[in-house]
Amino acid sequence: MSQPLKLLLDSPVIIAAIFISGIGGTFQYGFHISVMTSPSFFIMELVNQTCEQRYGLSLEPWQVSLIWSFLVSIFCIGGLLGSLCSGLLTSNYGRKQCLMFNNLVAISGGVLMLLSKTAISFEMIMVGRFLYGINAGISLSIHTMYLVECAPKRLRGMVGVTVATFISLGKFCGQLLGISELLGTENRWPWLLSFNGFTALLQLLTLPFLPESPRYLLLDKGDRQGCEKALRRLWGDRDHSVEVEEMLEEYAALQGVRSHTVMELIQNRTIRWQLLTILVTYVTLQLCGINAVYFYSFDVFRAAGIQTHQLRYAALGTGLCELTTSVVCSLVIEKTGKKMLFVRGYLGMAATLGLLTITLYLQNQVAWMPYSSMVLIFIFIFFFASGPAGVTAPLPGEIFTQSFKSAGYTIACTLNWTGLFLLGMLFPLIVEHLDYFCFLLFLFFCLLSGLYVWFNVPETRNLTVLEINVEFQKMHSKSEKLPQRTENTPYDTQTHQTKL
């Protein structure tokens, strides 16, 4: 048994924090990405039924499709709004309290979903999706922030990957519960869409038993006694003086330095490489081609001889592959290192996309090519889940100090939601004009991001935030002159003038 895994098993409260924060956190985001596929036909019927009974209108197919597209995309609009609010909420009210009250938003959305069919109102689904989006936008950043701050330095990578694991779990549960044997039927689909309300209720009932983030208590509130109490609950009743001293060092550096806004983060030249790293990795996360691979997987499985009525089970296989790979990634990340997972993941994805383009081109000419394409799809999902999917989410919490952390997460999650919305709108057009050659476009972004991380981002494993900032300084000090601290300049950790 590896040392990090043994250390995690010796910290049952951290394990509880992983599951409790995850089920009402990024699980919600993953579930909503996949859940709308199964009941789409029944929801479109409800749209027609609502308009006929209320307005006496019989909608054209294109009108129903337009309303359906808005029902799907309004989730991203709510998510973007939630992301923009998350930084301010976490700075003022703390991580745990924001997660708790955020569940009330999801429960409200679940009630609307559950009653939408009875009320014959697709507008209730629309409002419910919007509320779900707000909930997911807030939880996507706060769940990550809370877990990374609760984990000891040696477990930060392993715990951070669980954020992506719960996204994968949400996707898989959305696919699984959506099959006709479970909730994907004409009578039960409202229960499927309201499922997130029940997971939010579960977190609301269990989260009060967990402590607040120790780093938030010390660095934002100046509550050393509360911080030490939270550490003992999370990490066990033993000596944590080394970790406390490391946080106190950052606390001393932050004296007189308030939490910075997004604009201040963008304008601060001393952290330009950290900001650029967030921009590159989060943009590539949406443009890496994972959605395109899932889109073409049905055609590939069908060409490989899988019956149409069995395609849903093949789709479950892709979701299960992503979930299991994410779990394995959490077990090896502390040994492999985050930088290597990034580079290996993106370069492996780029190579796989190149081969997949070739096999799809030859699919109708060579009999065994569909099987090769099917294998490549699973290989691509493996590289994605074992690298970028798990390492990207906690990145802002690792490379930004406390004064810039909320703004960093706000930028990262805004990029994520904006990219998801634009990709949802533009992807059908890209496929229409490029077909499977669209993989070459995604290949470019994967290759570019992999090379960027290799040359410009230091390894963050087992390093404090201050040490990571020094590593950024060492890596880029040859090409730029760093500003010097003067006596009248407040001691801000982002100037890299730290005592380690």
Side-chain angles (χ1 to χ4, degrees), residues 44-301:
M44 290 182 185
E45 279 192 335
L46 179 64
V47 171
N48 258 326
Q49 187 180 2
T50 302
C51 292
E52 286 178 359
Q53 291 195 10
R54 190 177 304 162
Y55 308 112
L57 297 175
S58 180
L59 297 180
E60 297 291 333
W62 69 268
Q63 293 173 315
V64 176
S65 298
L66 182 63
I67 295 175
W68 164 254
S69 299
F70 189 71
L71 284 171
V72 173
S73 60
I74 198 172
F75 174 70
C76 297
I77 298 174
L80 180 59
L81 179 62
S83 295
L84 294 174
C85 297
S86 61
L88 181 63
L89 292 173
T90 52
S91 297
N92 292 334
Y93 301 106
R95 288 47 165 156
K96 176 182 171 181
Q97 193 170 353
C98 285
L99 281 174
M100 287 185 61
F101 287 108
N102 189 37
N103 289 309
L104 299 178
V105 180
I107 292 172
S108 300
V111 172
L112 289 173
M113 293 293 193
L114 187 60
L115 299 177
S116 59
K117 183 181 179 182
T118 304
I120 313 179
S121 173
F122 72 86
E123 296 91 346
M124 294 176 68
I125 297 179
M126 192 176 297
V127 176
R129 285 280 290 178
F130 181 71
L131 293 176
Y132 276 158
I134 294 176
N135 168 265
I138 294 175
S139 64
L140 191 61
S141 58
I142 300 179
H143 170 208
T144 309
M145 199 182 305
Y146 177 74
L147 271 188
V148 171
E149 292 181 356
C150 285
K153 183 171 61 177
R154 293 194 60 187
L155 290 178
R156 194 176 58 209
M158 178 182 290
V159 172
V161 169
T162 63
V163 173
T165 302
F166 274 92
I167 294 178
S168 301
L169 178 62
K171 290 180 182 178
F172 178 71
C173 287
Q175 294 171 330
L176 179 62
L177 294 177
I179 64 176
S180 57
E181 289 83 354
L182 294 176
L183 298 179
T185 66
E186 185 175 2
N187 294 324
R188 295 193 291 264
W189 67 262
W191 292 94
L192 174 65
L193 296 187
S194 63
F195 183 77
N196 295 90
F198 295 100
T199 57
L201 180 62
L202 177 61
Q203 186 187 73
L204 184 63
L205 296 176
T206 54
L207 194 59
F209 296 100
L210 296 178
E212 177 58 274
S213 157
R215 289 180 62 85
Y216 171 79
L217 291 172
L218 180 60
L219 300 181
D220 286 272
K221 294 300 182 182
D223 184 4
R224 177 171 180 173
Q225 184 178 359
C227 171
E228 292 176 345
K229 182 179 179 181
L231 287 176
R232 286 193 296 270
R233 287 188 62 191
L234 287 165
W235 303 353
D237 193 10
R238 52 182 182 269
D239 183 25
H240 305 298
S241 57
V242 176
E243 290 83 358
V244 173
E245 287 301 320
E246 288 175 348
M247 285 190 279
L248 284 174
E249 182 180 356
E250 186 176 348
Y251 179 69
L254 287 170
Q255 288 296 313
V257 180
R258 57 179 173 78
S259 293
H260 294 287
T261 65
V262 170
M263 188 55 63
E264 288 172 334
L265 188 155
I266 295 173
Q267 293 174 345
N268 193 316
R269 297 184 63 188
T270 63
I271 53 172
R272 64 176 68 176
W273 286 104
Q274 288 91 320
L275 176 59
L276 186 58
T277 298
I278 295 300
L279 293 175
V280 171
T281 53
Y282 269 82
V283 168
T284 309
L285 191 63
Q286 292 298 332
L287 297 177
C288 66
I290 184 66
N291 294 320
V293 167
Y294 275 121
F295 177 82
Y296 275 98
S297 63
F298 286 95
D299 291 335
V300 170
F301 294 149

Side-chain angles (χ1 to χ4, degrees), residues 353-410:
L353 287 175
L355 293 174
L356 188 57
T357 304
I358 296 173
T359 58
L360 288 175
Y361 178 76
L362 299 174
Q363 186 164 283
N364 296 325
Q365 304 175 32
V366 183
W368 49 267
M369 275 300 168
Y371 302 101
S372 300
S373 300
M374 188 163 59
V375 172
L376 287 172
I377 285 174
F378 284 98
I379 292 175
F380 181 88
I381 294 173
F382 168 80
F383 278 122
F384 172 76
S386 65
V391 184
T392 303
L395 194 60
E398 296 181 350
I399 65 177
F400 288 120
T401 53
Q402 203 75 4
S403 59
F404 284 101
K405 190 172 293 185
S406 294
Y409 273 108
T410 299

